Each structure stands twice: as C-alpha cells, then as structure tokens.
Amino acid sequence: MTSENNIPRGQLLLRTLAMPADTNANGDIFGGWIMSQLDLAGGILAKEISSGRIVTVSVSSITFKKPVSVGDVVCVYGECTKIGRTSMNINLEVWIKPVREDNIEDRFMVCDATFNYVAIDAEGRPRPVQKK
Ligand SMILES: CC(C)(COP(=O)(O)OP(=O)(O)OC[C@H]1O[C@@H](n2cnc3c(N)ncnc32)[C@H](O)[C@@H]1OP(=O)(O)O)[C@@H](O)C(=O)NCCC(=O)NCCS
C-alpha cells in the first residue's frame, strides 16, 4: 500500500534530523539507520496500543524508494493495521521535508515498511493486547 495525494498514512510518530555520522559509503543516509528510526517509531505506537512492554518480532516488508540526504528532516508516520491476541502489525512510512529546497512543504515519501510487535509481560512472555 502506498500513500496518495502526498499525504502520509497514519499519525506522526517520530521526527528527527539525518546527520553526517549516519551516512553510507555513497554519502547518502545508511539504510540501517532508517530501519532503526522505523523500529523506534513503530515501537512507540505498539507501546501505546498495548499499554506496556513490547518487542519487535519481525519485519514483513521494507522498501527504500529514494535516498535520504544529510540535513533532511526525517518524519516517520504509522498506523496499526492488525491487532492479534498478543501481536500488532504496524505500517510505517518515512517522509522527508527537504530543508534545502525553497519550498519546505514539498515533502516526499522515501520508504515504507511493515513492522510486527508482540506485547510482553515482565518475564518476556507474550501477553494479550486489549482491543479498545
Ligand atoms: C516475540 C516473542 C516474545 C514471541 O514469543 P513466542 O513464544 O514465540 O510467542 P508465540 O509463538 O505465542 O507468538 C506470539 C505472537 O507473535 C506472533 N508472531 C510470532 N512470530 C511472528 C513473526 N515472525 N511475524 C509476525 N508475528 C509473529 C504470533 O502470531 C502471535 O501473535 P498473536 O498472539 O496475535 O496470535 C519471542 O519470540 C521473543 O522474545 N523474540 C525476541 C524479540 C526481540 O528480542 N526483538 C528484538 C529487540 S526488541
């Protein structure tokens, strides 16, 4: 699923700045850093939904559509698409607000992914998620 009309899907979960230390050998931002931001953002939503501790169990899909540059404002949006007994599937999108462009509202999507989380108890065992 992709966003249409330049509108991100879901709520803004995380906003940060791409820094020089996060670059790859090409000088663009390293994909592993972007994955880390996705995991943080999805984890925030999963914690909120399940009101407690969670772990990442898997990544169903991830697509890098465009490179990210140093100085870009990186925004991660997300929405929960499925709540199981103990698990949550979360669709995530990374959007860039290019600060070097004249029009800073000219945002575009660079990555989309689906991350899966499991709510756990204090012993690390899966615990039921209450559907609200
Ligand atoms: C995630 C973890 C708690 C699941 O424990 P488990 O005993 O295998 O749990 P279960 O087999 O009962 O599955 C629990 C839920 O996870 C789901 N699940 C298991 N493997 C999955 C996978 N690969 N992808 C998506 N969901 C998965 C199950 O479908 C189930 O969902 P449901 O309760 O909504 O039906 C355990 O595997 C674990 O601790 N993994 C390490 C997590 C981790 O360290 N992550 C990285 C840092 S956060």
Side-chain angles (χ1 to χ4, degrees), residues 39 54-60 82-89 115-121 123-129 131:
D39 197 17
I54 52 95
V55 284
T56 312
V57 65
S58 66
V59 178
S60 297
K82 185 181 166 201
I83 300 179
R85 195 181 80 82
T86 67
S87 65
M88 293 154 280
N89 302 346
F115 278 55
N116 307 307
Y117 299 86
V118 174
I120 55 166
D121 62 19
E123 281 73 47
R125 291 183 304 241
R127 67 177 166 87
V129 178
K131 288 182 184 158

Side-chain angles (χ1 to χ4, degrees), residues 8-64:
R9 281 180 199 276
Q11 58 177 296
L12 178 63
L13 297 168
L14 185 144
R15 201 164 69 128
T16 187
L17 191 62
M19 298 292 280
D22 306 315
T23 52
N24 60 22
N26 302 326
D28 297 318
I29 295 301
F30 179 49
W33 180 83
I34 296 169
M35 291 176 78
S36 176
Q37 306 311 307
L38 285 164
D39 197 17
L40 286 169
I44 289 169
L45 184 56
K47 273 176 88 75
E48 287 175 349
I49 290 168
S50 68
S51 307
R53 206 172 153 192
I54 52 95
V55 284
T56 312
V57 65
S58 66
V59 178
S60 297
S61 69
I62 182 162
T63 305
F64 297 100

Side-chain angles (χ1 to χ4, degrees), residues 62-78:
I62 182 162
T63 305
F64 297 100
K65 296 170 181 293
K66 291 185 174 135
V68 176
S69 303
V70 170
D72 282 345
V73 177
V74 174
C75 304
V76 185
Y77 293 81

